[in-house]
Structure formats: C-alpha cells, structure tokens
Amino acid sequence: MAWVLLFTFFSWTGFEPTNVLARSPQWLPPGPLKHITHALPQLPDSWQTILLLLLPCVIVVLAALESWRPTRWWRVALIWLLYLNVMNTGWLSSSGGQQLMANVLFWCTFLSARDERLKAIGFWAIRLQLLLAYTATGLHKLTGTHWLDGTAMGIVATDPAYGPAWIASFPVLARLATYAVLLFQLSFPIAAWFRTLRLPWMAFGAAFHLGTAIWMDIPEMGLAFIACYAIWLDDDQAARLPLLRRFAVEPSVDG
C-alpha cells in the first residue's frame, strides 16, 4: 500500500494531459478479461483527462484507508481494479515494476480474505511471483550477447536516458557489475529459500534496485521489487528491521 500511495500520488501530481498517459493508443487484449483489465470507457480527450485525474485520487484514498484501517478484501480488490485500468490506459509508459505490482495487488485480494486457504494461496502466489520475475529476467538476459560478454552495464551507462556514464570509463568495473547483476537475478530464486542467504541477497537486491531508481530514473520499478521482499521474511527477520517491526507477529504462548 505504501508503494501504491507514493507511485499514484507522484504520477497524479506530475500528470499532464499531453503526456503518454493521455495519448497512448488504445489496445485491447483478446478474450473476455479485456472487460476487466481494460474497463475504462473511451471518452473525448477532455473527459478522458478528467477521468484519469480523478481515479488516482480514489486510489490514494483507498490505499490510505487500507494502510491504517483493518484490511478489507473488497477494498484491496477495488484498488487493484482501478490501478490496473489506469496503468493499462498508459500501457506504453508502464514498467516491469508496475506490472509486478499489478500482479501482487491481485493476490493481495486473496491475502486479505478471512478464509485461511485463500490467504495461503495469496501468500504463496506473491512469493512465487517475485521469484518468477527474477527468473524470467535472468533467463531472458542469457538469450542475448551483451550480458554474457560483460558489456551490458557499460552500454546502458552510456545511454543519456540512464547512466551513470562514468561507469563506461572503467571497463573492469562495468564487467563486474554486469556479471553481478546477472548472477544475482539467476540466484535469488534459489537463495530466497534459505534463511541464512535470504537477507544478504535482499541487501544486494535493495542496493541494486535503489541504484536503478536513482541513476536510471525508474524508481517505481526498483521500489516495487523491494516492497515485495517483505513477504519472504519470517517474523524474526521482520522484527530486526525498523520499518517492518510493527507488522511482526508475536509468538503465541503455545508456540
């Protein structure tokens, strides 16, 4: 919910009617799900702009309520539905982090249910979604050449849209960074299952994602992955982190 609040608020305050959100071509996927995932009506430009300004306000209010009030599955479901449709309206500008969070919000609906079986489905779906994202990204990198020969980070750094450009001046550093990222993404889905490896891998991942947030100007993507780390922590690990301590569950008397 913290990610939804921040992302929606800053997207809303920086919204311009002429940006890609307002002029993205309409694309509808085949099948019946398009009536759910692309449910916003096609309106004249002025009305479409008003709609896309109002919906984030509703999302922010609902996410704030969900953060500070007892969770309600219908509120989470409504946040997911509105967020997904706003994101799909500007699908050309969406990132992997936004797509990841759309999936996570869907399974949070199950996580907010009263039925323990539905909670378990949501819990494991979110856990596995994070691992799937890293696995797919890492395997996709193996199909190219620049990640395998160690030049990928140097090439990305020289792109004016990303950076930092100084990395390209140190080929050895760029090569080490390339292989470190590739190894991290391929090994995280394995390390997450081992308690002793989990926190070190998450620490490296947080540093990597914060780096992409600062230098590549895609903070919503990096912070989405970091937000998803929490579900792989047990209560003892969560209690050691100040931001998560209030959510850790105290052990019961009978264990």
Side-chain angles (χ1 to χ4, degrees):
M1 289 303 108
W3 185 94
V4 172
L5 275 168
L6 290 172
F7 170 74
T8 308
F9 175 77
F10 285 108
S11 297
W12 173 58
T13 54
F15 177 80
E16 296 178 6
T18 57
N19 72 2
V20 70
L21 187 63
R23 53 187 169 83
S24 290
Q26 181 69 8
W27 176 78
L28 293 177
L33 289 181
K34 65 184 178 183
H35 301 297
I36 299 175
T37 62
H38 296 69
L40 296 186
Q42 283 293 291
L43 302 172
D45 289 346
S46 58
W47 287 102
Q48 191 79 1
T49 299
I50 293 173
L51 180 65
L52 294 175
L53 282 169
L54 289 177
L55 287 183
C57 296
V58 178
I59 296 173
V60 166
V61 171
L62 290 172
L65 288 173
E66 184 62 23
S67 299
W68 301 108
R69 302 289 296 174
T71 187
R72 294 291 184 267
W73 71 266
W74 58 266
R75 198 158 51 210
V76 180
L78 188 54
I79 292 171
W80 166 76
L81 184 63
L82 293 177
Y83 166 80
L84 181 68
N85 276 275
V86 171
M87 182 188 72
N88 285 335
T89 301
W91 61 276
L92 282 180
S93 60
S94 63
S95 68
Q98 296 176 41
Q99 299 287 346
L100 172 65
M101 196 54 65
N103 289 329
V104 169
L105 284 174
F106 173 79
W107 294 114
C108 277
T109 304
F110 289 70
L111 201 62
S112 304
R114 293 184 178 181
D115 189 283
E116 294 299 325
R117 292 168 295 183
L118 291 178
K119 286 185 177 182
I121 291 174
F123 176 81
W124 283 106
I126 297 173
R127 275 191 157 197
L128 296 177
Q129 178 63 51
L130 177 64
L131 304 191
L132 179 62
Y134 278 130
T135 301
T137 304
L139 292 178
H140 184 71
K141 287 179 170 59
L142 296 179
T143 63
T145 57
H146 296 304
W147 285 96
L148 296 178
D149 63 18
T151 60
M153 291 298 291
I155 294 174
V156 172
T158 57
D159 190 325
Y162 299 121
W166 58 264
I167 291 181
S169 302
F170 300 90
V172 175
L173 178 61
R175 188 178 296 272
L176 288 174
T178 299
Y179 289 136
V181 171
L182 183 60
L183 179 61
F184 163 73
Q185 291 180 336
L186 291 173
S187 62
F188 186 94
I190 299 173
W193 296 97
F194 299 93
R195 194 175 190 276
T196 56
L197 298 178
R198 197 176 297 149
L199 287 181
W201 257 250
M202 287 183 180
F204 180 90
F208 165 64
H209 288 304
L210 288 175
T212 63
I214 295 171
W215 286 305
M216 294 188 176
D217 197 25
I218 45 175
E220 79 283 355
M221 183 170 179
L223 294 177
F225 277 86
I226 294 175
C228 291
Y229 284 176
I231 202 166
W232 271 99
L233 299 174
D234 58 37
D235 290 327
D236 290 338
Q237 291 171 329
R240 288 154 55 188
L241 300 175
L243 288 176
L244 298 178
R245 190 173 297 142
R246 67 183 293 264
F247 300 107
V249 178
E250 295 294 335
S252 60
V253 177
D254 58 1

